[in-house]
């Protein structure tokens, strides 16, 4: 497995099972308890399950746990996140940029439209999503954006 992302309460790993790759989000129970975040994890799981048929939200395949950790199994999305696309000059992205380094107007409109469609879909399900930041939008091979639901 390959370690991809870390935060205070979780780590995300790229795992291969058979010939398919998955993202395995490992949440540390002790840290969640210390930060009084247990409630949010159940909300995260329930919302991901409620939106499992969405075109805009990453699917949740399974949830597991042991004595120390909770595990969320999701699809591995190799396109990177919107933050990397916006700010990382070393990004592997082949997106055309303006001479100032920003996105072209067409790409800007495309990504903003993706974000608005995703938020509209979530709000249509009577879910308010307040954790809007570029790191929570991932790209599917330089195309559409998906929201990663997370509340801690």
């Amino acid at each position: 497995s390959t370690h991809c992302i870390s935060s205070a309460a979780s780590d995300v790993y790229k795992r291969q099972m058979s010939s398919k790759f998955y993202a395995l989000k490992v949440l540390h129970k002790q840290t969640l308890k210390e930060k009084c975040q247990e409630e949010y994890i159940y909300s995260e799981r329930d919302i991901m399950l409620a939106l499992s048929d969405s075109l805009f939200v990453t699917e949740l395949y399974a949830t597991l746990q042991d004595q120390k950790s909770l595990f969320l199994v999701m699809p591995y999305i190799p396109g990177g996140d919107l933050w990397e696309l916006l700010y990382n000059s070393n990004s592997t992205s082949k997106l055309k940029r303006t001479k100032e380094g920003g996105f072209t107007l067409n790409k800007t409109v495309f990504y903003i439209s993706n974000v608005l469609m995703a938020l509209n879909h979530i709000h249509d399900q009577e879910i308010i999503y307040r954790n809007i930041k570029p790191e929570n939008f991932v790209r599917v091979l330089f195309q559409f954006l998906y929201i990663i639901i997370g509340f801690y």
Side-chain angles (χ1 to χ4, degrees), residues 50-104:
L51 296 170
S52 64
D53 64 342
S54 172
L55 297 174
F56 303 106
V57 178
T58 54
E59 190 173 354
L60 178 62
Y61 294 137
T63 58
L64 310 157
Q65 67 177 314
D66 63 18
Q67 285 191 334
K68 293 184 179 183
S69 302
L70 301 170
F71 305 94
L72 304 178
V73 181
M74 299 173 282
Y76 172 69
I77 301 175
D81 64 39
L82 190 56
W83 188 94
E84 179 185 347
L85 186 65
L86 287 167
Y87 300 111
N88 187 352
S89 61
N90 296 325
S91 172
T92 58
S93 170
K94 303 288 187 234
L95 285 179
K96 186 176 181 182
R97 297 193 178 265
T98 65
K99 63 182 177 183
E100 293 82 19
F103 293 154
T104 63

Side-chain angles (χ1 to χ4, degrees), residues 21-137:
F21 287 97
Y22 297 89
L24 179 65
K25 185 174 185 177
V26 181
L27 300 145
H28 313 292
K29 288 182 179 180
Q30 184 62 36
T31 305
L32 294 171
K33 187 174 182 177
E34 289 168 3
K35 296 182 180 237
C36 301
Q37 300 289 310
E38 299 112 325
E39 225 178 280
Y40 297 115
I41 296 308
Y42 294 113
S43 293
E44 178 178 344
R45 179 204 58 203
D46 293 346
I47 288 169
M48 288 182 78
L49 290 172
L51 296 170
S52 64
D53 64 342
S54 172
L55 297 174
F56 303 106
V57 178
T58 54
E59 190 173 354
L60 178 62
Y61 294 137
T63 58
L64 310 157
Q65 67 177 314
D66 63 18
Q67 285 191 334
K68 293 184 179 183
S69 302
L70 301 170
F71 305 94
L72 304 178
V73 181
M74 299 173 282
Y76 172 69
I77 301 175
D81 64 39
L82 190 56
W83 188 94
E84 179 185 347
L85 186 65
L86 287 167
Y87 300 111
N88 187 352
S89 61
N90 296 325
S91 172
T92 58
S93 170
K94 303 288 187 234
L95 285 179
K96 186 176 181 182
R97 297 193 178 265
T98 65
K99 63 182 177 183
E100 293 82 19
F103 293 154
T104 63
L105 179 59
N106 286 344
K107 277 298 173 192
T108 301
V109 169
F110 175 76
Y111 284 124
I112 289 172
S113 298
N114 272 235
V115 170
L116 292 175
M117 287 188 309
L119 293 174
N120 186 58
H121 174 73
I122 290 171
H123 291 171
D124 283 348
Q125 309 304 313
E126 298 185 0
I127 297 168
I128 297 173
Y129 183 67
R130 301 181 310 166
N131 199 12
I132 301 169
K133 57 186 178 182
E135 300 92 300
N136 285 343
F137 291 87

